[in-house]
Amino acid sequence: MDFVTLGMFIIDEIHYQPPRKPDVDVIGGAGTYAALGARLFRPPPSASGIGWTVHEGYDFPRHIKSTIDSWQTRCEFIQTPERETTRARNRYEPNEHRAFEYLNTKIRLDEKSLTLAQLTSKTYHLICSAQRCLSLIEGILARRDAELLTQTDRKIRNLLTLIPIFIWEPVPDLCKPSELIHCLEALQRVDIFSPNLEEFGSLLGTSIDLDQPDGWSQLRQRCQEVIEPTLSSLRTTAVIRLGERGCYVAQPGRQYLRLPAYYDQQADSSAIDTAAADKREHANRVIDPTGGGNAFLGGFAIGLQNSGQGNMREAAAYGTIAASFAIEQVGVPTLGLSSSGVETWNGASVEGRLKDYIRKVAEGGTCVFDTSMAR
């Protein structure tokens, strides 16, 4: 498999400021959006290389099941008829702060949850604490080694001998200075470390304001302080997600670069429907940022594989495009087909949008390389 997430599936209800009514039975969860981000770049039959797990309670809505099935990923549905599906409430407060709470008991995934197919994945997405991250990595590798000892299928054995890539997304509540020592331990084992800017600052007990004259240089310095001293090799890359500002990639000893968000650009020539493209040029397409960061990491993972050489700039472009589709609506984007049989999401071609973005970034010089920081 190409990508497996151990993030959860959640049914969300989203509450807004009055008089807007809440949205209920919304597809959500970090695992869902990470799987979506990867799936965008893997149309069928390759979609079956995207693995994730859904615990299906007695209240599981049929329309959600139909939506997930339409993606044709390798989603493992685990029946839990004795309980409700995991649900959560998102509440948007006047300052745009999003409060989150579970409405029932969550079911976490671990290495024991993985099927044999998921155990052969090239990439794993983990969203958890630093200590749990280490436990999951050790558990996954141990299960792979154990399976290798008894597995007779040559193809499966070959997959199990490959060293997988681990992408770690820390949970926001545990991004605090007291967790930094555990974070540094986890960085010894992960390939991609990806907090958002607020989480990264909170982990260090500071805030990083990119609007200040020294904001970007402060971000570079903090990445150096956290990433480089912990490493005996050039393994870990920090990918700081910056929301509407895009992302910042810190690759120790090699390169530091930043890419803009997709909606920092002005047009969308990837739209199949030209009338829709004209409409989108004049509309604010960012409807709900929920899941954008998770989708970014799913897309990033596929970009790493597609680049062949682990090209971080290309991977970040994939992630950026994945995030752009995730934030265009409440919930997940709509899968469709053009009149010519091309797969579309919200009426746009993923490949077309990616090419459009890469071209504009190249022409506009908006991919900034901080070469002064590389050694």
Side-chain angles (χ1 to χ4, degrees), residues 68-261:
I68 294 173
D69 286 345
S70 72
W71 296 354
Q72 300 183 50
T73 56
R74 190 170 297 188
C75 180
E76 300 294 333
F77 285 94
I78 298 178
Q79 305 292 324
T80 54
E82 74 284 357
R83 55 160 286 154
E84 293 180 324
T85 308
T86 303
R87 291 178 176 268
R89 177 186 293 122
N90 295 268
R91 186 181 299 278
Y92 284 97
E93 299 174 354
N95 61 356
E96 296 299 321
H97 174 73
R98 182 171 69 96
F100 175 87
E101 62 175 328
Y102 286 101
L103 299 178
N104 53 16
T105 305
K106 62 184 179 181
I107 303 178
R108 296 197 301 186
L109 300 168
D110 59 23
E111 71 277 4
K112 302 182 189 69
S113 309
L114 299 175
T115 65
L116 176 58
Q118 291 174 344
L119 204 58
T120 65
S121 182
K122 299 174 184 175
T123 306
Y124 292 95
H125 167 249
L126 314 176
I127 176 166
C128 54
S129 68
Q131 291 171 299
R132 182 169 169 78
C133 174
L134 286 170
S135 175
L136 288 172
I137 291 173
E138 291 171 2
I140 290 170
L141 294 178
R143 272 207 64 195
R144 288 169 68 109
D145 288 343
E147 183 63 36
L148 187 60
L149 292 175
T150 59
Q151 184 56 240
T152 58
D153 185 292
R154 180 177 296 179
K155 182 178 180 181
I156 294 177
R157 286 182 59 84
N158 289 340
L159 291 172
L160 290 170
T161 57
L162 299 176
I163 300 175
I165 291 173
F166 290 101
I167 298 177
W168 175 41
E169 183 179 353
V171 289
D173 292 348
L174 292 178
C175 288
K176 51 188 178 182
S178 61
E179 288 291 310
L180 182 58
I181 187 171
H182 301 303
C183 173
L184 296 180
E185 292 174 359
L187 291 183
Q188 303 281 351
R189 301 297 300 275
V190 303
D191 299 275
I192 306 296
F193 168 56
S194 186
N196 65 30
L197 182 64
E198 182 179 358
E199 293 161 355
F200 187 55
S202 296
L203 184 65
L204 300 174
T206 188
S207 61
I208 301 172
D209 186 352
L210 297 180
D211 287 325
Q212 295 299 315
D214 65 341
W216 290 103
S217 61
Q218 185 183 10
L219 177 57
R220 292 194 298 266
Q221 181 180 351
R222 294 299 187 182
C223 285
Q224 283 190 302
E225 291 172 357
V226 171
I227 303 297
E228 296 193 0
T230 68
L231 303 174
S232 58
S233 65
L234 301 179
R235 177 186 178 96
T236 303
T237 296
V239 181
I240 313 299
R241 292 169 282 118
L242 307 177
E244 63 185 13
R245 292 181 182 271
C247 67
Y248 187 83
V249 179
Q251 205 169 12
R254 297 174 63 183
Q255 65 178 348
Y256 292 75
L257 59 93
R258 50 188 164 106
L259 273 76

Side-chain angles (χ1 to χ4, degrees), residues 27-85:
I27 297 176
T32 306
Y33 279 101
L36 168 69
R39 165 60 181 88
L40 289 167
F41 300 98
R42 287 288 189 263
S46 299
S48 62
I50 308 303
W52 53 307
T53 301
V54 171
H55 287 92
E56 184 179 354
Y58 64 77
D59 59 338
F60 201 85
R62 289 185 179 181
H63 74 273
I64 291 182
K65 180 70 159 55
S66 297
T67 296
I68 294 173
D69 286 345
S70 72
W71 296 354
Q72 300 183 50
T73 56
R74 190 170 297 188
C75 180
E76 300 294 333
F77 285 94
I78 298 178
Q79 305 292 324
T80 54
E82 74 284 357
R83 55 160 286 154
E84 293 180 324
T85 308

